[in-house]
Amino acid sequence: MKSNLRRKSFALVATAAMLVASFFVVQHARGESAKPFAPELKIDNFTFTVPSVTVAAGTEVTWVNRDDIPHTVVSQEGVFKSKALDTDDKFSFKFSQPGTYHYFCSIHPKMTAEVVVK
Amino acid sequence: MNRTDRDEIIHDRNHDGVDRRGFLKCMAWAGTGALYVMQGGVLSSVALGDAEKKMIGELSFVQLSDSHMGFNRPANTDVTATLQVALDRIKALQTQPEFLIHTGDITHLTKPEQFDTVSQMLRGGPGRDVFYVPGEHDMIDDNGKGYLDRFGKNTQGAGWYSFDKKGVHFIGLVNVANLKAGGLGTLGPEQLEWMEKDVKHLSHSTPIVVFAHIPLWTVYQDWGWGTQDGAEALSYLKRFGSVTVLNGHIHQTMQKVEGNVTFHTACSTAFPQPQPGAAPGPGPMKVPPEQLRSLLGITDVNYVRGKHGLALIDSNLS
């Protein structure tokens, strides 16, 4: 019971943190800084380390492979597809249309994540 | 290299994947080299010294796997050297294998020069055949074209095929093509249909060896270590008395017996990977240089007519 409560409160905190984070990302993207906001998402240890990121339309998202193993970034909806990224290789895509973009690594399909464009 | 005691691995009866006890035992043995003999559905292992005396059979071949040519990260900065050690080990075997099987991830990045290096090194002895199946690292960005141009002769679809050697029927399967998001390895309906037809005409006493890159049984779902439609493929082999399944992909030896089927995975010749769930992810395991070769290896397979199963010996490269 106690651990259940703890799990629930952890989930609440985690959800709150994610909301704050995505709010920050959107705000930041709309900010008037000279450089447009362009998140760089890390791939490491067979994982897309950011399972879901929310950005404003027009944002360019970059993935960088920090793993010892090559990975790809491939849209499940067929919108974008990287070549194999070896260690430290990068791939960028500019999201101009709002929507939810699911993607996976076509070499290791257990690896999945998403980009939400507002 | 020698162990004098005897042991056996109790097989997994609850059909849920890996028998933990058997797995741990297998891992302990991987560093020493052991012969596995299956009799009456029970897998037993004996010391390597004893094993060699019983090794004389009709057919002998060696399984190599996961050479990852082109990999040069800290886990192993010279995969060419470790592959060469593996080949030297094979050369030193008392009974010379009639052919080699490579269960995929020949290359690290599907590059022509990586394929060429491995195929030139493996060709070695005159007239020695090498039978390949691709790993996911051999089909990156090109839909398997580079692999099939080299090794696809006499194969179907994405590169599957079968052949017979001294009464043993071998089936090479491809479970790394067209992988779907969130899924495991996949054979696909076309290949399954071909396989069902391929074994239909065989008598149930024909020993069957199936080899493919990703394990055909689910070793560890969270890391994608399994084949989605592997059970369908195995269902075609139920009526056969002796079925041996050889896989790679997980860079460690693991073995289990289920009914008439012995499952076995081989070590990599390039770098080790952690035991299922023993690390946050399955990335290359960095070990002290003096330990590396004890975690790499080859598998020597022997078929003795009249015995229930095939004998498998894992030897490390240290």
Side-chain angles (χ1 to χ4, degrees), chain B residues 23-67:
Chain B
F23 166 66
L24 290 173
K25 212 167 274 187
C26 189
M27 286 305 291
W29 279 82
T32 59
L35 168 70
Y36 293 94
V37 188
M38 191 177 81
Q39 278 167 327
V42 178
L43 190 76
S44 55
S45 51
V46 296
L48 197 56
D50 289 350
E52 275 172 323
K53 288 178 209 144
K54 297 175 190 167
M55 287 272 300
I56 301 139
E58 282 78 20
L59 180 64
S60 166
F61 64 94
V62 168
Q63 178 193 7
L64 282 165
S65 203
D66 296 84
S67 42

Side-chain angles (χ1 to χ4, degrees), chain A residues 45-47 66-70 72 76 81-88 103-112, chain B residues 71 73-74 108-109 136-137 140-141 179-184 221-224 271 273 280-284 286:
Chain A
N45 207 354
F46 286 79
T47 315
R66 298 289 185 214
D67 206 350
D68 286 351
I69 296 290
T72 62
Q76 290 181 43
K81 184 178 195 293
S82 79
K83 290 226 168 285
L85 308 175
D86 201 1
T87 306
D88 296 333
Y103 64 93
F104 74 119
C105 167
S106 59
I107 311 171
H108 311 100
K110 269 278 159 196
M111 295 168 58
T112 58
Chain B
F71 180 88
R73 308 296 302 166
H108 194 55
L109 288 167
E136 71 280 3
H137 285 253
I140 298 174
D141 291 342
L179 300 178
K180 297 281 178 291
L184 305 171
Q221 179 127 8
D222 289 0
W223 289 356
F271 56 85
Q273 281 178 270
K286 292 171 197 83

Side-chain angles (χ1 to χ4, degrees), chain B residues 35-293:
Chain B
L35 168 70
Y36 293 94
V37 188
M38 191 177 81
Q39 278 167 327
V42 178
L43 190 76
S44 55
S45 51
V46 296
L48 197 56
D50 289 350
E52 275 172 323
K53 288 178 209 144
K54 297 175 190 167
M55 287 272 300
I56 301 139
E58 282 78 20
L59 180 64
S60 166
F61 64 94
V62 168
Q63 178 193 7
L64 282 165
S65 203
D66 296 84
S67 42
H68 281 265
M69 191 52 62
F71 180 88
N72 59 2
R73 308 296 302 166
N76 183 358
T77 52
D78 194 351
V79 297
T80 313
T82 46
L83 177 59
Q84 190 54 54
V85 174
L87 296 172
D88 293 345
R89 264 316 135 80
I90 296 169
K91 237 179 238 166
L93 286 172
Q94 265 183 13
T95 312
Q96 276 303 290
E98 289 186 36
F99 56 88
L100 306 181
I101 280 181
H102 194 302
T103 43
D105 283 359
I106 304 156
T107 72
H108 194 55
L109 288 167
T110 316
K111 295 202 167 137
E113 65 272 20
Q114 297 171 351
F115 280 120
D116 292 344
T117 303
V118 176
S119 62
Q120 277 158 21
M121 286 174 77
L122 261 56
R123 223 167 276 149
R128 177 192 275 168
D129 285 329
V130 186
F131 296 96
Y132 293 92
V133 281
E136 71 280 3
H137 285 253
D138 303 318
M139 296 194 142
I140 298 174
D141 291 342
D142 74 343
N143 279 325
K145 190 179 180 305
Y147 171 85
L148 290 170
D149 283 352
R150 281 177 181 73
F151 310 118
K153 208 178 150 202
N154 303 323
T155 70
Q156 324 241 350
W160 57 83
Y161 59 102
S162 67
F163 61 93
D164 295 283
K165 288 273 182 191
K166 298 194 174 165
V168 180
H169 189 68
F170 290 81
I171 306 170
L173 298 178
V174 181
N175 54 5
V176 297
N178 301 315
L179 300 178
K180 297 281 178 291
L184 305 171
T186 312
L187 296 161
E190 196 191 338
Q191 184 168 204
L192 286 169
E193 197 181 310
W194 167 85
M195 181 180 166
E196 191 175 15
K197 273 190 203 138
D198 181 70
V199 298
K200 211 164 225 172
H201 69 282
L202 300 172
S203 105
H204 61 82
S205 61
T206 310
I208 307 276
V209 175
V210 181
F211 58 105
H213 179 64
I214 299 177
L216 284 184
W217 88 101
T218 304
V219 172
Y220 194 55
Q221 179 127 8
D222 289 0
W223 289 356
W225 288 1
T227 302
Q228 222 137 279
D229 44 8
E232 177 76 23
L234 294 167
S235 73
Y236 307 145
L237 306 176
K238 278 195 179 126
R239 67 185 178 87
F240 294 96
S242 162
V243 178
T244 306
V245 178
L246 304 176
N247 298 123
H249 188 59
I250 65 170
H251 295 218
Q252 58 196 283
T253 59
M254 202 179 277
Q255 184 147 356
K256 80 163 187 154
V257 179
E258 207 174 285
N260 59 336
V261 187
T262 302
F263 296 90
H264 182 276
T265 64
C267 277
S268 162
T269 65
F271 56 85
Q273 281 178 270
Q275 294 172 25
M285 219 158 75
K286 292 171 197 83
V287 297
E290 65 273 15
Q291 264 180 39
L292 176 64
R293 288 181 185 194

